[in-house]
Structure formats: C-alpha cells, structure tokens
Amino acid sequence: MRTAYDLAIVTAVTVRVPAKLNLQLAVGPPRADGYHDLVTVFHAVSLFDEVTAEPAGRDGVTVTGEGADRVPAGQDNLALRAVTALRAARAGPAAGYAVDPGGVHITIAKRIPVAAGLAGGSADAAAALVACNDLWDAGLSQQKLLEVAARVGSDVAFALLGGTAVGRGRGERLTPALAPATRYHWVLAFADGHLSTPEVYAALDRLRAAEAGGPEGAGNRAPRGNRVKAGPPEPTLDAALMSALRSGDARLVGRALSNDLQPAALSLFPSLRKTLAAGLELGALGALVAGSGPTCVFLAAGADRALDLAVSMSGAGVCRSVARVTGPVPGAAVVRAAM
Ligand code: C5P
C-alpha cells in the first residue's frame, strides 16, 4: 500500500522492465491446449522497455521506439490485456474492491526488439501490471500479481520476478535459482527479420514428427508395424547448467547453454547458423538462439571481451545490429511516480 504519497494523487507511474534470455529451454510434446510443457532457465538482462500508465477516459496504448509499428495498438496489445486482467483481479472478492478505477492510457517506450525471442511483449504486460497496481493503489501482493501475470502469457510472470529462475508448466511456474552474485556479460545479435513464436513451436513439432517417422516424416520407410514413434522426452532441468550457475564460472555456463527451439528457428531462418558460428569463432564462450529467435545470444568472458565481440560481430555483417547487456537484473520495478 502507498506510504510516501498518502496525501498526493499519483497522475502517472513509469515502470522499467527487462528482456529475458533462456539459458536452457527444454520443450516437451504438445499438450491438448496447444501449449508445450517446458523446463526453462530464465535470465533477465539489462535491455529495458519503459511503460507508463496514466488515468484516461478509456483504455488505450501508444508505442514508441524500436519496432513500434509492429506492436498491436488495440485491445490485442498484451499490456492492455494485462490492465484488463488486473482490473478484474482488483474487483474480485479477495481484493475487497468494488469501484472501477477507470480507464488507463499505457505508453510503451520500446528498446526490446519485437518478435525477437526476448519476450518484449510479455515484459510490457508485466510492467503494465506493476504500473497500474501502483497507480490505482491496488495493493496486490507480488504473489497475486504473479497469478494474474500467468493468465496473461507464459513469460509475463518471469518479467515480474527477474533474476535467474527455473520455469515449468508453460513457463509460468517459477522457482528462483539460488546462485552466487555473478554478473554475466552477453552480446545480443539482432536479426534482420522476425519469427513468430507459435510458428517456431509448430516447426519443432514437425521436425520431431519427421524424425520419429510420423505422418510428416519424409524418411518414413520402416516396415508397417515396425515404426519407431518415440515422442520427445519429458523436459528435465539440466543439472550441468545448474551446477555451472552455482559455480559462477562463465566458461561452464557457456558450455551448458541449450535451446530445443533452436533447430526449429534455424529451419525457418537458416542465416542464423552463420551468425552463431561467427560469434563462436570470435571467442564467445557459448552461443544460442534466444527463445524462439531470431536474436542470437553470445556469452563473453568479461566486460572487455563482450566489447571486443560486439565490435567484431557488427563488423562481420552477420546481423542487423548488436547490443551488450549484463544479467541477471531485477524484474519490473517502478522508476517514477508523477504527482
Ligand atoms: O503464452 P504466450 O502467449 O506467450 O505463447 C505464445 C505462443 O507460443 C502460444 O500460443 C503457443 O503457440 C506457443 N507456446 C507453446 N508452449 C509454451 C509457451 C508458448 O506452445 N509453453
């Protein structure tokens, strides 16, 4: 609940929210609801969007900055869906409120590229939850906000939490990872193009069906009754990655990075192979596609090596642009409240 601004009316709240990487992304078979069970290790990095919430006659959204024209402006916008979900949670019997807090205008200043595998849309939704919780003085606990976030999208809860955390279920069931306070230095290589998350998951299902000699399998030549139809294994947490994170040794972390979606992303965006290979040749400790891509992620041995790698990558002509970031960083947090 508000303390410092007890006597003032807050007119705008601005929240800063980080992009995420997946240090491991293990994907199970498709579920009946179309989602896939995951085991993933989320890691929040220092590439931030800023989201401002202000009272308005009715709900609306304005997007500025990196890739703004690709973000839906209407009720399909994930941040507005988060506002609607928070309003409903606030009006619920548990919260004890009946009065509608009124409309809200959300302004998103984007630095996290859109449809890049960095969960920028989920980040904006998480930021909208934190901003409106403060603007409306709604007082929802972090636990309650996490529950609302999980209903809005698979990655929204993690954007609230930040740090490094294991995600299960669709990715929304989180356990913070206990690890020493190591700061990792990453280089992100942004691609000249986009990938749609549902399309990448669908491509993975097709690749797996083909491998298992399923209906889409071009090489399905096994005699009838003798077909191998092993589905993908249930996803499990990578013990080598967790032990590397506990040791704080970037070299070990670099070796343990993994992403089941990577072959699918590469099948849809083949030039990423070159990007990954270039980063490894230039000395990265590890490389992988970020989430569903097409951003590529490289781990560097330290701040200086990250700078060298970023400069060399931008000179190599294998990506649109590069950014240096560090992680882990905290999740969505209020940076300004105007009165
Ligand atoms: O939950 P979110 O809206 O971020 O998910 C976007 C899409 O990604 C889903 O519609 C689904 O196609 C795919 N997805 C999935 N399994 C997950 C998370 C996402 O299949 N665990």
Side-chain angles (χ1 to χ4, degrees):
M1 283 292 173
R2 188 158 293 144
T3 51
Y5 351 112
D6 272 341
L7 298 174
I9 294 175
V10 174
T11 54
V13 176
T14 299
V15 168
R16 195 173 84 145
V17 64
K20 65 87 186 143
L21 308 179
N22 303 84
L23 308 187
Q24 181 196 3
L25 181 46
V27 181
R31 311 191 314 201
D33 64 1
Y35 283 90
H36 297 70
D37 272 325
L38 307 179
V39 174
T40 186
V41 178
F42 287 115
H43 182 75
V45 292
S46 61
L47 176 66
F48 300 100
D49 281 356
E50 275 201 0
V51 174
T52 300
E54 299 162 271
R58 60 192 174 93
D59 289 353
V61 62
T62 308
V63 188
T64 62
E66 170 83 35
D69 52 331
R70 294 185 57 85
V71 180
Q75 286 299 323
D76 281 349
N77 184 283
L78 211 54
L80 284 192
R81 284 179 20 211
V83 170
T84 305
L86 183 68
R87 197 180 277 121
R90 179 187 181 278
Y97 282 90
V99 183
D100 188 318
V104 66
H105 192 86
I106 298 286
T107 305
I108 303 174
K110 287 214 72 66
R111 286 189 57 226
I112 306 173
V114 179
L118 299 167
S122 299
D124 299 339
L129 289 178
V130 172
C132 290
N133 194 36
D134 199 75
L135 184 70
W136 298 336
D137 195 17
L140 266 70
S141 64
Q142 174 84 340
Q143 186 50 44
K144 186 74 192 162
L145 284 180
L146 286 168
E147 286 167 31
V148 178
R151 290 199 286 278
V152 179
S154 308
D155 293 336
V156 181
F158 176 70
L160 284 178
L161 194 66
T164 304
V166 176
R168 291 193 169 80
R170 286 185 294 131
E172 83 289 10
R173 281 176 19 224
L174 298 170
T175 316
L178 292 174
T182 309
R183 177 187 284 198
Y184 296 97
H185 296 266
W186 305 93
V187 174
L188 308 181
F190 301 125
D192 211 354
H194 309 92
L195 282 172
S196 135
T197 303
E199 282 171 24
V200 176
Y201 274 98
L204 176 66
D205 293 339
R206 282 197 305 275
L207 286 177
R208 284 175 164 177
E211 259 173 37
E216 267 112 351
N220 181 14
R221 298 284 176 267
R224 200 173 275 278
N226 196 21
R227 288 181 187 163
V228 184
K229 275 211 173 181
E234 284 305 315
T236 53
L237 187 60
D238 181 357
L241 174 64
M242 296 314 285
S243 133
L245 287 169
R246 276 193 299 274
S247 76
D249 184 335
R251 242 159 255 284
L252 296 178
V253 172
R255 250 182 258 152
L257 300 171
S258 70
N259 180 0
D260 281 0
L261 288 179
Q262 184 162 309
L266 293 177
S267 74
L268 298 171
F269 208 128
S271 65
L272 299 182
R273 278 178 209 286
K274 249 194 193 168
T275 314
L276 292 172
L280 288 171
E281 254 166 53
L282 290 165
L285 300 178
L288 85 176
V289 169
S292 54
T295 304
C296 290
V297 182
F298 304 94
L299 181 56
D304 293 351
R305 304 308 296 268
L307 180 57
D308 290 347
L309 182 60
V311 170
S312 308
M313 286 294 291
S314 36
V318 291
C319 55
R320 174 172 59 84
S321 61
V322 298
R324 277 180 302 139
V325 297
T326 61
V329 297
V334 174
V335 286
R336 279 188 298 285
M339 292 176 218

